[in-house]
Amino acid sequence: MPTSTWFRLNVAKRERVLEVAMREFGEHGYSTGSLNTIAREAGIAKGSLFQYFSDKLEFFAFVCDETSRRIREEMERRIARVDFDQSFDEWLFDVLCDWTEYMSDHPLERGVTAATNFELDNSVRSVVRDTANQHYLQVIHPTLHLWKAQGEIREDADLDVLATWLMTVLPFLALAPYYDGLDPILDLRGRTPAQQRPVIRQLIAGFRPIFAPAK
């Protein structure tokens, strides 16, 4: 948790520090992300960062948690606008398209998502992924139960398997178009959100037998 000094900063200054940290960690990750660079570009003394956070890991964890919260809240707003009067797979297609568009339009959030997924240090990755995963699941679990209650997911479908699939697909779709070597099969690298749509259709169709109700 940040110290009380952090919360006493004016909002504009907190936002400036957070934005610079998102960019630095998003581009370089935890291990090589530079606190000196963050302090310089945010216009503060490096020592000030240790008045706000106890150490670099706490700072990184806060940046990742705040980023995950922003992503979740924006996706919740977008999901609320998606038509529920359609089949689950069509609804899921719309949501995943919204997801890829969001990630395309928000490079800072995308970079921090990459930093949390690519971190090599297990202890660091565990801290930030555990928090990020909870933000994902706060949306995924209730939604799957809702669709199952509406009969769009068959009664014997394992919702944990469905949640696991979504937890795998979401970061894949967020990152594969922008980072080399993540997708040797479907060739998402360099595709725009519009060009990603046929792949999203393909992913849903391939997984549909696991959840689709019998006709």
Side-chain angles (χ1 to χ4, degrees), residues 79-116:
I79 288 171
R81 297 195 296 264
V82 176
D83 182 12
F84 266 87
D85 293 327
Q86 57 182 329
S87 65
F88 172 64
D89 45 343
E90 288 299 321
W91 174 88
L92 182 58
F93 173 75
D94 289 344
V95 169
L96 293 180
C97 288
D98 261 347
W99 172 255
T100 58
E101 289 167 5
Y102 175 83
M103 284 296 170
S104 175
D105 293 338
H106 294 80
L108 292 182
E109 286 80 356
R110 186 177 70 233
V112 175
T113 299
T116 64

PDB file of all heavy atoms in Angstrom, residues 79-116:
ATOM      1  N   ILE A  79     -18.871  -3.570 -21.387  1.00  0.00           N
ATOM      2  CA  ILE A  79     -19.700  -4.775 -21.354  1.00  0.00           C
ATOM      3  C   ILE A  79     -21.155  -4.424 -21.085  1.00  0.00           C
ATOM      4  O   ILE A  79     -22.073  -5.035 -21.647  1.00  0.00           O
ATOM      5  CB  ILE A  79     -19.158  -5.754 -20.295  1.00  0.00           C
ATOM      6  CG1 ILE A  79     -17.838  -6.373 -20.781  1.00  0.00           C
ATOM      7  CG2 ILE A  79     -20.172  -6.861 -19.989  1.00  0.00           C
ATOM      8  CD1 ILE A  79     -17.102  -7.176 -19.723  1.00  0.00           C
ATOM      9  N   ALA A  80     -21.370  -3.418 -20.241  1.00  0.00           N
ATOM     10  CA  ALA A  80     -22.747  -3.015 -19.928  1.00  0.00           C
ATOM     11  C   ALA A  80     -23.487  -2.515 -21.158  1.00  0.00           C
ATOM     12  O   ALA A  80     -24.730  -2.543 -21.205  1.00  0.00           O
ATOM     13  CB  ALA A  80     -22.739  -1.939 -18.841  1.00  0.00           C
ATOM     14  N   ARG A  81     -22.746  -2.072 -22.177  1.00  0.00           N
ATOM     15  CA  ARG A  81     -23.375  -1.564 -23.398  1.00  0.00           C
ATOM     16  C   ARG A  81     -23.587  -2.654 -24.454  1.00  0.00           C
ATOM     17  O   ARG A  81     -24.259  -2.402 -25.460  1.00  0.00           O
ATOM     18  CB  ARG A  81     -22.524  -0.439 -23.996  1.00  0.00           C
ATOM     19  CG  ARG A  81     -22.378   0.783 -23.104  1.00  0.00           C
ATOM     20  CD  ARG A  81     -21.852   1.979 -23.883  1.00  0.00           C
ATOM     21  NE  ARG A  81     -20.506   1.757 -24.384  1.00  0.00           N
ATOM     22  CZ  ARG A  81     -19.404   2.165 -23.773  1.00  0.00           C
ATOM     23  NH1 ARG A  81     -19.489   2.788 -22.616  1.00  0.00           N
ATOM     24  NH2 ARG A  81     -18.217   1.949 -24.309  1.00  0.00           N
ATOM     25  N   VAL A  82     -23.008  -3.828 -24.232  1.00  0.00           N
ATOM     26  CA  VAL A  82     -23.144  -4.908 -25.210  1.00  0.00           C
ATOM     27  C   VAL A  82     -24.523  -5.543 -25.069  1.00  0.00           C
ATOM     28  O   VAL A  82     -25.018  -5.763 -23.959  1.00  0.00           O
ATOM     29  CB  VAL A  82     -22.037  -5.965 -25.011  1.00  0.00           C
ATOM     30  CG1 VAL A  82     -22.232  -7.136 -25.969  1.00  0.00           C
ATOM     31  CG2 VAL A  82     -20.664  -5.345 -25.233  1.00  0.00           C
ATOM     32  N   ASP A  83     -25.135  -5.854 -26.188  1.00  0.00           N
ATOM     33  CA  ASP A  83     -26.490  -6.402 -26.228  1.00  0.00           C
ATOM     34  C   ASP A  83     -26.532  -7.788 -25.582  1.00  0.00           C
ATOM     35  O   ASP A  83     -25.873  -8.722 -26.041  1.00  0.00           O
ATOM     36  CB  ASP A  83     -26.953  -6.491 -27.688  1.00  0.00           C
ATOM     37  CG  ASP A  83     -28.375  -7.009 -27.825  1.00  0.00           C
ATOM     38  OD1 ASP A  83     -29.077  -7.081 -26.794  1.00  0.00           O
ATOM     39  OD2 ASP A  83     -28.768  -7.341 -28.958  1.00  0.00           O
ATOM     40  N   PHE A  84     -27.325  -7.933 -24.516  1.00  0.00           N
ATOM     41  CA  PHE A  84     -27.492  -9.231 -23.865  1.00  0.00           C
ATOM     42  C   PHE A  84     -28.591 -10.055 -24.534  1.00  0.00           C
ATOM     43  O   PHE A  84     -28.762 -11.232 -24.210  1.00  0.00           O
ATOM     44  CB  PHE A  84     -27.811  -9.050 -22.375  1.00  0.00           C
ATOM     45  CG  PHE A  84     -26.590  -9.097 -21.487  1.00  0.00           C
ATOM     46  CD1 PHE A  84     -25.853  -7.954 -21.236  1.00  0.00           C
ATOM     47  CD2 PHE A  84     -26.166 -10.288 -20.918  1.00  0.00           C
ATOM     48  CE1 PHE A  84     -24.727  -7.979 -20.439  1.00  0.00           C
ATOM     49  CE2 PHE A  84     -25.036 -10.334 -20.104  1.00  0.00           C
ATOM     50  CZ  PHE A  84     -24.321  -9.180 -19.863  1.00  0.00           C
ATOM     51  N   ASP A  85     -29.346  -9.435 -25.440  1.00  0.00           N
ATOM     52  CA  ASP A  85     -30.421 -10.164 -26.119  1.00  0.00           C
ATOM     53  C   ASP A  85     -29.887 -10.840 -27.378  1.00  0.00           C
ATOM     54  O   ASP A  85     -30.437 -10.694 -28.473  1.00  0.00           O
ATOM     55  CB  ASP A  85     -31.565  -9.205 -26.470  1.00  0.00           C
ATOM     56  CG  ASP A  85     -32.260  -8.677 -25.234  1.00  0.00           C
ATOM     57  OD1 ASP A  85     -32.350  -9.423 -24.242  1.00  0.00           O
ATOM     58  OD2 ASP A  85     -32.687  -7.514 -25.257  1.00  0.00           O
ATOM     59  N   GLN A  86     -28.818 -11.580 -27.211  1.00  0.00           N
ATOM     60  CA  GLN A  86     -28.242 -12.358 -28.302  1.00  0.00           C
ATOM     61  C   GLN A  86     -27.634 -13.609 -27.678  1.00  0.00           C
ATOM     62  O   GLN A  86     -27.628 -13.770 -26.452  1.00  0.00           O
ATOM     63  CB  GLN A  86     -27.179 -11.537 -29.052  1.00  0.00           C
ATOM     64  CG  GLN A  86     -26.039 -11.017 -28.199  1.00  0.00           C
ATOM     65  CD  GLN A  86     -25.038 -10.181 -28.982  1.00  0.00           C
ATOM     66  OE1 GLN A  86     -24.828 -10.397 -30.161  1.00  0.00           O
ATOM     67  NE2 GLN A  86     -24.408  -9.204 -28.314  1.00  0.00           N
ATOM     68  N   SER A  87     -27.114 -14.492 -28.495  1.00  0.00           N
ATOM     69  CA  SER A  87     -26.520 -15.710 -27.959  1.00  0.00           C
ATOM     70  C   SER A  87     -25.227 -15.391 -27.217  1.00  0.00           C
ATOM     71  O   SER A  87     -24.605 -14.344 -27.445  1.00  0.00           O
ATOM     72  CB  SER A  87     -26.233 -16.689 -29.095  1.00  0.00           C
ATOM     73  OG  SER A  87     -25.252 -16.167 -29.968  1.00  0.00           O
ATOM     74  N   PHE A  88     -24.822 -16.311 -26.345  1.00  0.00           N
ATOM     75  CA  PHE A  88     -23.609 -16.106 -25.570  1.00  0.00           C
ATOM     76  C   PHE A  88     -22.384 -15.959 -26.470  1.00  0.00           C
ATOM     77  O   PHE A  88     -21.545 -15.094 -26.241  1.00  0.00           O
ATOM     78  CB  PHE A  88     -23.399 -17.272 -24.602  1.00  0.00           C
ATOM     79  CG  PHE A  88     -22.066 -17.243 -23.905  1.00  0.00           C
ATOM     80  CD1 PHE A  88     -21.734 -16.213 -23.037  1.00  0.00           C
ATOM     81  CD2 PHE A  88     -21.135 -18.254 -24.126  1.00  0.00           C
ATOM     82  CE1 PHE A  88     -20.504 -16.178 -22.403  1.00  0.00           C
ATOM     83  CE2 PHE A  88     -19.903 -18.229 -23.485  1.00  0.00           C
ATOM     84  CZ  PHE A  88     -19.585 -17.195 -22.619  1.00  0.00           C
ATOM     85  N   ASP A  89     -22.286 -16.782 -27.505  1.00  0.00           N
ATOM     86  CA  ASP A  89     -21.096 -16.698 -28.338  1.00  0.00           C
ATOM     87  C   ASP A  89     -21.051 -15.386 -29.136  1.00  0.00           C
ATOM     88  O   ASP A  89     -19.965 -14.824 -29.345  1.00  0.00           O
ATOM     89  CB  ASP A  89     -20.933 -17.915 -29.259  1.00  0.00           C
ATOM     90  CG  ASP A  89     -22.199 -18.317 -29.958  1.00  0.00           C
ATOM     91  OD1 ASP A  89     -23.281 -17.899 -29.545  1.00  0.00           O
ATOM     92  OD2 ASP A  89     -22.103 -19.082 -30.941  1.00  0.00           O
ATOM     93  N   GLU A  90     -22.217 -14.854 -29.559  1.00  0.00           N
ATOM     94  CA  GLU A  90     -22.221 -13.557 -30.227  1.00  0.00           C
ATOM     95  C   GLU A  90     -21.890 -12.429 -29.254  1.00  0.00           C
ATOM     96  O   GLU A  90     -21.174 -11.488 -29.587  1.00  0.00           O
ATOM     97  CB  GLU A  90     -23.575 -13.301 -30.889  1.00  0.00           C
ATOM     98  CG  GLU A  90     -23.817 -14.142 -32.126  1.00  0.00           C
ATOM     99  CD  GLU A  90     -22.778 -13.870 -33.211  1.00  0.00           C
ATOM    100  OE1 GLU A  90     -22.391 -12.701 -33.400  1.00  0.00           O
ATOM    101  OE2 GLU A  90     -22.331 -14.841 -33.849  1.00  0.00           O
ATOM    102  N   TRP A  91     -22.422 -12.543 -28.034  1.00  0.00           N
ATOM    103  CA  TRP A  91     -22.091 -11.562 -26.999  1.00  0.00           C
ATOM    104  C   TRP A  91     -20.590 -11.603 -26.697  1.00  0.00           C
ATOM    105  O   TRP A  91     -19.932 -10.563 -26.605  1.00  0.00           O
ATOM    106  CB  TRP A  91     -22.891 -11.863 -25.734  1.00  0.00           C
ATOM    107  CG  TRP A  91     -22.543 -11.010 -24.553  1.00  0.00           C
ATOM    108  CD1 TRP A  91     -23.077  -9.800 -24.221  1.00  0.00           C
ATOM    109  CD2 TRP A  91     -21.564 -11.298 -23.547  1.00  0.00           C
ATOM    110  NE1 TRP A  91     -22.500  -9.321 -23.072  1.00  0.00           N
ATOM    111  CE2 TRP A  91     -21.571 -10.221 -22.637  1.00  0.00           C
ATOM    112  CE3 TRP A  91     -20.696 -12.371 -23.326  1.00  0.00           C
ATOM    113  CZ2 TRP A  91     -20.729 -10.180 -21.524  1.00  0.00           C
ATOM    114  CZ3 TRP A  91     -19.856 -12.330 -22.219  1.00  0.00           C
ATOM    115  CH2 TRP A  91     -19.878 -11.253 -21.334  1.00  0.00           C
ATOM    116  N   LEU A  92     -20.041 -12.819 -26.575  1.00  0.00           N
ATOM    117  CA  LEU A  92     -18.619 -12.967 -26.287  1.00  0.00           C
ATOM    118  C   LEU A  92     -17.769 -12.382 -27.413  1.00  0.00           C
ATOM    119  O   LEU A  92     -16.742 -11.743 -27.166  1.00  0.00           O
ATOM    120  CB  LEU A  92     -18.289 -14.442 -26.073  1.00  0.00           C
ATOM    121  CG  LEU A  92     -16.840 -14.785 -25.714  1.00  0.00           C
ATOM    122  CD1 LEU A  92     -16.413 -14.068 -24.438  1.00  0.00           C
ATOM    123  CD2 LEU A  92     -16.677 -16.298 -25.567  1.00  0.00           C
ATOM    124  N   PHE A  93     -18.205 -12.580 -28.647  1.00  0.00           N
ATOM    125  CA  PHE A  93     -17.489 -11.990 -29.778  1.00  0.00           C
ATOM    126  C   PHE A  93     -17.443 -10.477 -29.648  1.00  0.00           C
ATOM    127  O   PHE A  93     -16.386  -9.853 -29.820  1.00  0.00           O
ATOM    128  CB  PHE A  93     -18.161 -12.395 -31.089  1.00  0.00           C
ATOM    129  CG  PHE A  93     -17.609 -11.707 -32.301  1.00  0.00           C
ATOM    130  CD1 PHE A  93     -16.380 -12.083 -32.835  1.00  0.00           C
ATOM    131  CD2 PHE A  93     -18.305 -10.664 -32.911  1.00  0.00           C
ATOM    132  CE1 PHE A  93     -15.850 -11.432 -33.947  1.00  0.00           C
ATOM    133  CE2 PHE A  93     -17.792 -10.017 -34.021  1.00  0.00           C
ATOM    134  CZ  PHE A  93     -16.556 -10.406 -34.547  1.00  0.00           C
ATOM    135  N   ASP A  94     -18.577  -9.861 -29.331  1.00  0.00           N
ATOM    136  CA  ASP A  94     -18.615  -8.404 -29.178  1.00  0.00           C
ATOM    137  C   ASP A  94     -17.690  -7.937 -28.055  1.00  0.00           C
ATOM    138  O   ASP A  94     -16.984  -6.928 -28.191  1.00  0.00           O
ATOM    139  CB  ASP A  94     -20.047  -7.937 -28.890  1.00  0.00           C
ATOM    140  CG  ASP A  94     -20.955  -8.053 -30.107  1.00  0.00           C
ATOM    141  OD1 ASP A  94     -20.442  -8.193 -31.230  1.00  0.00           O
ATOM    142  OD2 ASP A  94     -22.193  -8.009 -29.920  1.00  0.00           O
ATOM    143  N   VAL A  95     -17.697  -8.654 -26.934  1.00  0.00           N
ATOM    144  CA  VAL A  95     -16.863  -8.272 -25.798  1.00  0.00           C
ATOM    145  C   VAL A  95     -15.379  -8.394 -26.140  1.00  0.00           C
ATOM    146  O   VAL A  95     -14.580  -7.494 -25.834  1.00  0.00           O
ATOM    147  CB  VAL A  95     -17.207  -9.130 -24.561  1.00  0.00           C
ATOM    148  CG1 VAL A  95     -16.178  -8.925 -23.461  1.00  0.00           C
ATOM    149  CG2 VAL A  95     -18.598  -8.787 -24.045  1.00  0.00           C
ATOM    150  N   LEU A  96     -14.991  -9.484 -26.782  1.00  0.00           N
ATOM    151  CA  LEU A  96     -13.585  -9.668 -27.135  1.00  0.00           C
ATOM    152  C   LEU A  96     -13.137  -8.641 -28.177  1.00  0.00           C
ATOM    153  O   LEU A  96     -11.983  -8.195 -28.158  1.00  0.00           O
ATOM    154  CB  LEU A  96     -13.336 -11.091 -27.635  1.00  0.00           C
ATOM    155  CG  LEU A  96     -13.494 -12.193 -26.582  1.00  0.00           C
ATOM    156  CD1 LEU A  96     -13.210 -13.566 -27.189  1.00  0.00           C
ATOM    157  CD2 LEU A  96     -12.585 -11.950 -25.378  1.00  0.00           C
ATOM    158  N   CYS A  97     -14.031  -8.250 -29.061  1.00  0.00           N
ATOM    159  CA  CYS A  97     -13.701  -7.172 -30.009  1.00  0.00           C
ATOM    160  C   CYS A  97     -13.497  -5.860 -29.262  1.00  0.00           C
ATOM    161  O   CYS A  97     -12.567  -5.097 -29.570  1.00  0.00           O
ATOM    162  CB  CYS A  97     -14.798  -7.025 -31.053  1.00  0.00           C
ATOM    163  SG  CYS A  97     -14.852  -8.372 -32.261  1.00  0.00           S
ATOM    164  N   ASP A  98     -14.353  -5.574 -28.284  1.00  0.00           N
ATOM    165  CA  ASP A  98     -14.173  -4.382 -27.451  1.00  0.00           C
ATOM    166  C   ASP A  98     -12.824  -4.433 -26.727  1.00  0.00           C
ATOM    167  O   ASP A  98     -12.133  -3.419 -26.606  1.00  0.00           O
ATOM    168  CB  ASP A  98     -15.299  -4.285 -26.418  1.00  0.00           C
ATOM    169  CG  ASP A  98     -16.394  -3.320 -26.832  1.00  0.00           C
ATOM    170  OD1 ASP A  98     -16.184  -2.550 -27.782  1.00  0.00           O
ATOM    171  OD2 ASP A  98     -17.462  -3.340 -26.202  1.00  0.00           O
ATOM    172  N   TRP A  99     -12.479  -5.604 -26.244  1.00  0.00           N
ATOM    173  CA  TRP A  99     -11.214  -5.799 -25.529  1.00  0.00           C
ATOM    174  C   TRP A  99     -10.017  -5.475 -26.422  1.00  0.00           C
ATOM    175  O   TRP A  99      -9.109  -4.756 -26.018  1.00  0.00           O
ATOM    176  CB  TRP A  99     -11.152  -7.230 -25.023  1.00  0.00           C
ATOM    177  CG  TRP A  99      -9.858  -7.687 -24.432  1.00  0.00           C
ATOM    178  CD1 TRP A  99      -8.945  -8.518 -25.008  1.00  0.00           C
ATOM    179  CD2 TRP A  99      -9.340  -7.377 -23.133  1.00  0.00           C
ATOM    180  NE1 TRP A  99      -7.889  -8.740 -24.160  1.00  0.00           N
ATOM    181  CE2 TRP A  99      -8.099  -8.056 -22.999  1.00  0.00           C
ATOM    182  CE3 TRP A  99      -9.797  -6.590 -22.071  1.00  0.00           C
ATOM    183  CZ2 TRP A  99      -7.323  -7.973 -21.848  1.00  0.00           C
ATOM    184  CZ3 TRP A  99      -9.017  -6.508 -20.911  1.00  0.00           C
ATOM    185  CH2 TRP A  99      -7.806  -7.190 -20.813  1.00  0.00           C
ATOM    186  N   THR A 100     -10.028  -5.989 -27.642  1.00  0.00           N
ATOM    187  CA  THR A 100      -8.894  -5.745 -28.539  1.00  0.00           C
ATOM    188  C   THR A 100      -8.834  -4.274 -28.955  1.00  0.00           C
ATOM    189  O   THR A 100      -7.751  -3.717 -29.113  1.00  0.00           O
ATOM    190  CB  THR A 100      -8.967  -6.646 -29.781  1.00  0.00           C
ATOM    191  OG1 THR A 100     -10.192  -6.425 -30.488  1.00  0.00           O
ATOM    192  CG2 THR A 100      -8.872  -8.119 -29.391  1.00  0.00           C
ATOM    193  N   GLU A 101      -9.989  -3.645 -29.109  1.00  0.00           N
ATOM    194  CA  GLU A 101     -10.006  -2.220 -29.442  1.00  0.00           C
ATOM    195  C   GLU A 101      -9.474  -1.385 -28.280  1.00  0.00           C
ATOM    196  O   GLU A 101      -8.724  -0.419 -28.477  1.00  0.00           O
ATOM    197  CB  GLU A 101     -11.421  -1.791 -29.824  1.00  0.00           C
ATOM    198  CG  GLU A 101     -11.858  -2.343 -31.176  1.00  0.00           C
ATOM    199  CD  GLU A 101     -13.349  -2.181 -31.426  1.00  0.00           C
ATOM    200  OE1 GLU A 101     -14.022  -1.543 -30.571  1.00  0.00           O
ATOM    201  OE2 GLU A 101     -13.832  -2.679 -32.450  1.00  0.00           O
ATOM    202  N   TYR A 102      -9.864  -1.756 -27.066  1.00  0.00           N
ATOM    203  CA  TYR A 102      -9.363  -1.042 -25.894  1.00  0.00           C
ATOM    204  C   TYR A 102      -7.846  -1.148 -25.809  1.00  0.00           C
ATOM    205  O   TYR A 102      -7.141  -0.146 -25.583  1.00  0.00           O
ATOM    206  CB  TYR A 102      -9.996  -1.598 -24.618  1.00  0.00           C
ATOM    207  CG  TYR A 102      -9.421  -0.988 -23.365  1.00  0.00           C
ATOM    208  CD1 TYR A 102      -9.879   0.235 -22.891  1.00  0.00           C
ATOM    209  CD2 TYR A 102      -8.384  -1.619 -22.671  1.00  0.00           C
ATOM    210  CE1 TYR A 102      -9.325   0.812 -21.750  1.00  0.00           C
ATOM    211  CE2 TYR A 102      -7.830  -1.049 -21.538  1.00  0.00           C
ATOM    212  CZ  TYR A 102      -8.311   0.162 -21.082  1.00  0.00           C
ATOM    213  OH  TYR A 102      -7.752   0.731 -19.967  1.00  0.00           O
ATOM    214  N   MET A 103      -7.310  -2.353 -25.981  1.00  0.00           N
ATOM    215  CA  MET A 103      -5.872  -2.545 -25.878  1.00  0.00           C
ATOM    216  C   MET A 103      -5.123  -1.817 -26.993  1.00  0.00           C
ATOM    217  O   MET A 103      -4.013  -1.321 -26.796  1.00  0.00           O
ATOM    218  CB  MET A 103      -5.540  -4.035 -25.886  1.00  0.00           C
ATOM    219  CG  MET A 103      -5.832  -4.722 -24.573  1.00  0.00           C
ATOM    220  SD  MET A 103      -4.792  -4.054 -23.242  1.00  0.00           S
ATOM    221  CE  MET A 103      -5.554  -4.796 -21.792  1.00  0.00           C
ATOM    222  N   SER A 104      -5.720  -1.733 -28.158  1.00  0.00           N
ATOM    223  CA  SER A 104      -5.113  -0.988 -29.250  1.00  0.00           C
ATOM    224  C   SER A 104      -5.040   0.503 -28.931  1.00  0.00           C
ATOM    225  O   SER A 104      -4.048   1.163 -29.237  1.00  0.00           O
ATOM    226  CB  SER A 104      -5.915  -1.201 -30.542  1.00  0.00           C
ATOM    227  OG  SER A 104      -5.422  -0.403 -31.586  1.00  0.00           O
ATOM    228  N   ASP A 105      -6.078   1.022 -28.291  1.00  0.00           N
ATOM    229  CA  ASP A 105      -6.176   2.456 -28.029  1.00  0.00           C
ATOM    230  C   ASP A 105      -5.456   2.894 -26.753  1.00  0.00           C
ATOM    231  O   ASP A 105      -5.348   4.096 -26.493  1.00  0.00           O
ATOM    232  CB  ASP A 105      -7.651   2.872 -27.929  1.00  0.00           C
ATOM    233  CG  ASP A 105      -8.392   2.736 -29.246  1.00  0.00           C
ATOM    234  OD1 ASP A 105      -7.717   2.724 -30.292  1.00  0.00           O
ATOM    235  OD2 ASP A 105      -9.633   2.638 -29.213  1.00  0.00           O
ATOM    236  N   HIS A 106      -5.005   1.933 -25.933  1.00  0.00           N
ATOM    237  CA  HIS A 106      -4.406   2.266 -24.629  1.00  0.00           C
ATOM    238  C   HIS A 106      -3.040   1.585 -24.491  1.00  0.00           C
ATOM    239  O   HIS A 106      -2.901   0.566 -23.806  1.00  0.00           O
ATOM    240  CB  HIS A 106      -5.337   1.845 -23.493  1.00  0.00           C
ATOM    241  CG  HIS A 106      -6.616   2.615 -23.456  1.00  0.00           C
ATOM    242  ND1 HIS A 106      -7.680   2.330 -24.288  1.00  0.00           N
ATOM    243  CD2 HIS A 106      -6.997   3.683 -22.698  1.00  0.00           C
ATOM    244  CE1 HIS A 106      -8.665   3.185 -24.040  1.00  0.00           C
ATOM    245  NE2 HIS A 106      -8.263   4.008 -23.097  1.00  0.00           N
ATOM    246  N   PRO A 107      -2.022   2.143 -25.140  1.00  0.00           N
ATOM    247  CA  PRO A 107      -0.707   1.500 -25.107  1.00  0.00           C
ATOM    248  C   PRO A 107      -0.081   1.434 -23.714  1.00  0.00           C
ATOM    249  O   PRO A 107       0.692   0.503 -23.433  1.00  0.00           O
ATOM    250  CB  PRO A 107       0.132   2.357 -26.062  1.00  0.00           C
ATOM    251  CG  PRO A 107      -0.595   3.665 -26.158  1.00  0.00           C
ATOM    252  CD  PRO A 107      -2.033   3.336 -25.999  1.00  0.00           C
ATOM    253  N   LEU A 108      -0.372   2.394 -22.842  1.00  0.00           N
ATOM    254  CA  LEU A 108       0.191   2.330 -21.496  1.00  0.00           C
ATOM    255  C   LEU A 108      -0.363   1.131 -20.733  1.00  0.00           C
ATOM    256  O   LEU A 108       0.383   0.364 -20.105  1.00  0.00           O
ATOM    257  CB  LEU A 108      -0.095   3.621 -20.721  1.00  0.00           C
ATOM    258  CG  LEU A 108       0.605   4.885 -21.201  1.00  0.00           C
ATOM    259  CD1 LEU A 108       0.245   6.063 -20.296  1.00  0.00           C
ATOM    260  CD2 LEU A 108       2.113   4.698 -21.238  1.00  0.00           C
ATOM    261  N   GLU A 109      -1.670   0.953 -20.780  1.00  0.00           N
ATOM    262  CA  GLU A 109      -2.293  -0.182 -20.103  1.00  0.00           C
ATOM    263  C   GLU A 109      -1.829  -1.503 -20.722  1.00  0.00           C
ATOM    264  O   GLU A 109      -1.602  -2.492 -20.022  1.00  0.00           O
ATOM    265  CB  GLU A 109      -3.817  -0.065 -20.178  1.00  0.00           C
ATOM    266  CG  GLU A 109      -4.414   0.986 -19.253  1.00  0.00           C
ATOM    267  CD  GLU A 109      -4.319   2.417 -19.785  1.00  0.00           C
ATOM    268  OE1 GLU A 109      -3.707   2.617 -20.870  1.00  0.00           O
ATOM    269  OE2 GLU A 109      -4.855   3.329 -19.129  1.00  0.00           O
ATOM    270  N   ARG A 110      -1.684  -1.504 -22.044  1.00  0.00           N
ATOM    271  CA  ARG A 110      -1.188  -2.704 -22.730  1.00  0.00           C
ATOM    272  C   ARG A 110       0.241  -3.026 -22.294  1.00  0.00           C
ATOM    273  O   ARG A 110       0.589  -4.185 -22.061  1.00  0.00           O
ATOM    274  CB  ARG A 110      -1.240  -2.485 -24.238  1.00  0.00           C
ATOM    275  CG  ARG A 110      -0.883  -3.720 -25.046  1.00  0.00           C
ATOM    276  CD  ARG A 110      -1.017  -3.442 -26.532  1.00  0.00           C
ATOM    277  NE  ARG A 110      -0.008  -2.530 -27.049  1.00  0.00           N
ATOM    278  CZ  ARG A 110      -0.255  -1.422 -27.740  1.00  0.00           C
ATOM    279  NH1 ARG A 110      -1.487  -1.046 -27.996  1.00  0.00           N
ATOM    280  NH2 ARG A 110       0.738  -0.665 -28.174  1.00  0.00           N
ATOM    281  N   GLY A 111       1.067  -2.009 -22.159  1.00  0.00           N
ATOM    282  CA  GLY A 111       2.441  -2.234 -21.734  1.00  0.00           C
ATOM    283  C   GLY A 111       2.533  -2.807 -20.336  1.00  0.00           C
ATOM    284  O   GLY A 111       3.333  -3.721 -20.078  1.00  0.00           O
ATOM    285  N   VAL A 112       1.722  -2.295 -19.407  1.00  0.00           N
ATOM    286  CA  VAL A 112       1.738  -2.824 -18.043  1.00  0.00           C
ATOM    287  C   VAL A 112       1.194  -4.250 -18.030  1.00  0.00           C
ATOM    288  O   VAL A 112       1.682  -5.109 -17.283  1.00  0.00           O
ATOM    289  CB  VAL A 112       0.954  -1.911 -17.091  1.00  0.00           C
ATOM    290  CG1 VAL A 112       0.874  -2.525 -15.697  1.00  0.00           C
ATOM    291  CG2 VAL A 112       1.599  -0.530 -17.020  1.00  0.00           C
ATOM    292  N   THR A 113       0.189  -4.531 -18.857  1.00  0.00           N
ATOM    293  CA  THR A 113      -0.301  -5.904 -18.989  1.00  0.00           C
ATOM    294  C   THR A 113       0.830  -6.825 -19.436  1.00  0.00           C
ATOM    295  O   THR A 113       0.986  -7.944 -18.917  1.00  0.00           O
ATOM    296  CB  THR A 113      -1.465  -5.963 -19.997  1.00  0.00           C
ATOM    297  OG1 THR A 113      -2.537  -5.145 -19.535  1.00  0.00           O
ATOM    298  CG2 THR A 113      -1.971  -7.390 -20.173  1.00  0.00           C
ATOM    299  N   ALA A 114       1.624  -6.370 -20.380  1.00  0.00           N
ATOM    300  CA  ALA A 114       2.776  -7.162 -20.823  1.00  0.00           C
ATOM    301  C   ALA A 114       3.774  -7.340 -19.691  1.00  0.00           C
ATOM    302  O   ALA A 114       4.318  -8.436 -19.488  1.00  0.00           O
ATOM    303  CB  ALA A 114       3.442  -6.488 -22.024  1.00  0.00           C
ATOM    304  N   ALA A 115       4.026  -6.277 -18.937  1.00  0.00           N
ATOM    305  CA  ALA A 115       4.998  -6.356 -17.844  1.00  0.00           C
ATOM    306  C   ALA A 115       4.579  -7.371 -16.790  1.00  0.00           C
ATOM    307  O   ALA A 115       5.418  -8.100 -16.249  1.00  0.00           O
ATOM    308  CB  ALA A 115       5.187  -4.976 -17.207  1.00  0.00           C
ATOM    309  N   THR A 116       3.294  -7.451 -16.497  1.00  0.00           N
ATOM    310  CA  THR A 116       2.832  -8.410 -15.492  1.00  0.00           C
ATOM    311  C   THR A 116       2.882  -9.836 -16.015  1.00  0.00           C
ATOM    312  O   THR A 116       3.079 -10.778 -15.244  1.00  0.00           O
ATOM    313  CB  THR A 116       1.396  -8.098 -15.029  1.00  0.00           C
ATOM    314  OG1 THR A 116       0.489  -8.253 -16.126  1.00  0.00           O
ATOM    315  CG2 THR A 116       1.289  -6.690 -14.481  1.00  0.00           C
TER     316      THR A 116
END
